């Protein structure tokens, strides 16, 4: 409902756009999130965050913020490698029968 025709092209760009929207959600919610404990954050993501961006003005703010997010491919590659390394370490600690 909050997505305009102009934003449709931006949203059709794929996974990079989803990442930018996710980063924007965190960026726009930063002040609320840093003041909460883990359980409160979970509730915020489940209840408050969706309500916050339901109106047109906030939805447009989210999309304009997402459009301005710059992705550094080098940093993403490093983070991806670190993620895979952690996953491999986690798998190596599992019981071989359960793998």
């Amino acid at each position: 409902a909050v997505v305009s025709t102009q934003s449709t092209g931006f949203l059709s760009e794929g996974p990079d756009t989803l990442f930018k929207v996710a980063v924007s959600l965190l960026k726009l919610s930063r002040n609320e999130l840093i003041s909460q404990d883990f359980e409160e954050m979970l509730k915020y993501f489940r209840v408050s965050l969706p309500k916050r961006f339901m109106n047109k003005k906030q939805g447009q703010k989210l999309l304009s913020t997402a459009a301005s997010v710059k992705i550094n491919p080098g940093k993403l590659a490093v983070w991806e490698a670190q993620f895979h390394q952690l996953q491999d370490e986690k798998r190596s600690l599992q019981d071989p029968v359960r793998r």
Side-chain angles (χ1 to χ4, degrees):
V2 297
V3 178
S4 68
T5 308
Q6 188 176 22
S7 302
T8 307
F10 169 70
L11 291 174
S12 68
E13 292 180 20
D16 286 350
T17 300
L18 292 176
F19 182 74
K20 289 179 179 186
V21 169
V23 169
S24 298
L25 286 168
L26 293 172
K27 184 176 183 178
L28 293 171
S29 302
R30 182 181 190 276
N31 291 335
E32 291 87 355
L33 291 171
I34 61 174
S35 66
Q36 299 176 357
D37 65 23
F38 183 73
E39 294 295 325
E40 291 170 328
M41 282 185 201
L42 291 176
K43 184 177 179 182
Y44 180 83
F45 283 122
R46 198 178 69 246
V47 179
S48 303
L49 187 78
K51 287 181 183 177
R52 178 177 174 187
F53 293 100
M54 287 298 289
N55 73 56
K56 186 174 182 172
K57 184 178 178 181
Q58 288 297 319
Q60 288 175 338
K61 183 176 181 178
L62 172 63
L63 293 179
S64 67
T65 302
S68 70
V69 169
K70 303 294 183 226
I71 297 176
N72 181 326
K75 279 188 180 179
L76 281 180
V78 169
W79 293 338
E80 181 180 14
Q82 290 173 341
F83 172 77
H84 289 297
Q85 181 181 4
L86 288 171
Q87 292 298 316
D88 291 343
E89 289 172 8
K90 186 177 175 181
R91 273 189 226 106
S92 71
L93 295 174
Q94 288 179 340
D95 181 7
V97 176
R98 298 189 82 203
R99 278 192 259 170

